[in-house]
Amino acid sequence: MKILVINGPNLNFLGIREKAVYGNQDYNYLCNMIKDKAAADGDEVECYQSNHEGAIIDRLQEAYSDGTVGIVINPGAYTHYSYAIHDALKSLEDIIKVEIHISDIQSREEFRKVSVTAPACDKQIYGHGLNGYLEAMDYIHEALK
């Protein structure tokens, strides 16, 4: 099964920015963790990161026809205001979509508590650290049974 993992703005700075919130592990560590799980599960996985809204939308649209069956997305700050990413996710009706956040967005600043992208996803996971990505992959497997 083909899973696409999309990370939005500043996720490439894991291990650099706000370590007390996001931890000490860097982006390569996250991607390797995801790839290891995919290999163990017999999945094909792509980790994609962009700081640009349009590039994220373009990659989501490519998923429509490239065999992707599940998407794990951490839209970063776009979570709170990108109706364009919401619409791109919403158009992928036959693909399981899980929104992930490393931190507990419900216990942070008020603006982080609102996700405009989550309603276009099948599930939202937050506050489980990097392991939330692995939980999202498990959810995709369960949803496709």
Side-chain angles (χ1 to χ4, degrees), residues 11-82:
L11 273 296
N12 59 314
F13 259 43
L14 284 176
I16 296 170
R17 69 183 276 253
E18 296 183 82
K19 292 180 184 182
V21 175
Y22 300 107
N24 294 315
Q25 303 298 336
D26 66 13
Y27 184 70
N28 287 332
Y29 178 89
L30 171 63
C31 290
N32 287 332
M33 184 178 84
I34 290 166
K35 289 175 184 175
D36 288 347
K37 175 159 181 55
D41 291 345
D43 294 334
E44 177 185 345
V45 69
E46 175 189 348
C47 290
Y48 177 84
Q49 189 277 329
S50 180
N51 294 318
H52 304 281
E53 184 179 33
I56 292 169
I57 293 165
D58 288 344
R59 186 59 191 96
L60 286 167
Q61 289 179 353
E62 288 172 21
Y64 177 80
S65 59
D66 72 1
T68 297
V69 299
I71 294 173
V72 177
I73 184 166
N74 183 338
Y78 291 133
T79 301
H80 315 295
Y81 64 88
S82 180

Side-chain angles (χ1 to χ4, degrees), residues 2 5 7 18 21 34 42 50 57 62 66-68 86 98 101 110 117 121-122 131 136:
K2 185 173 180 179
V5 178
N7 283 292
E18 296 183 82
V21 175
I34 290 166
S50 180
I57 293 165
E62 288 172 21
D66 72 1
T68 297
H86 168 277
V98 182
H101 297 283
E110 283 301 311
T117 51
C121 294
D122 300 285
N131 285 331

Side-chain angles (χ1 to χ4, degrees), residues 72-139:
V72 177
I73 184 166
N74 183 338
Y78 291 133
T79 301
H80 315 295
Y81 64 88
S82 180
Y83 291 101
I85 291 176
H86 168 277
D87 290 350
L89 287 164
K90 191 80 171 169
S91 69
L92 303 173
E93 294 175 353
D94 295 332
I95 298 175
I96 304 297
K97 300 166 296 288
V98 182
E99 181 177 290
I100 176 74
H101 297 283
I102 297 167
S103 68
D104 180 356
I105 57 174
Q106 295 303 315
S107 66
R108 296 186 64 198
E109 302 94 334
E110 283 301 311
F111 77 90
R112 293 188 196 276
K113 296 177 182 179
V114 176
S115 172
V116 301
T117 51
C121 294
D122 300 285
K123 184 173 180 69
Q124 183 187 57
I125 298 171
Y126 57 85
H128 296 182
L130 300 182
N131 285 331
Y133 287 86
L134 307 183
E135 292 174 29
M137 294 168 75
D138 285 340
Y139 177 83

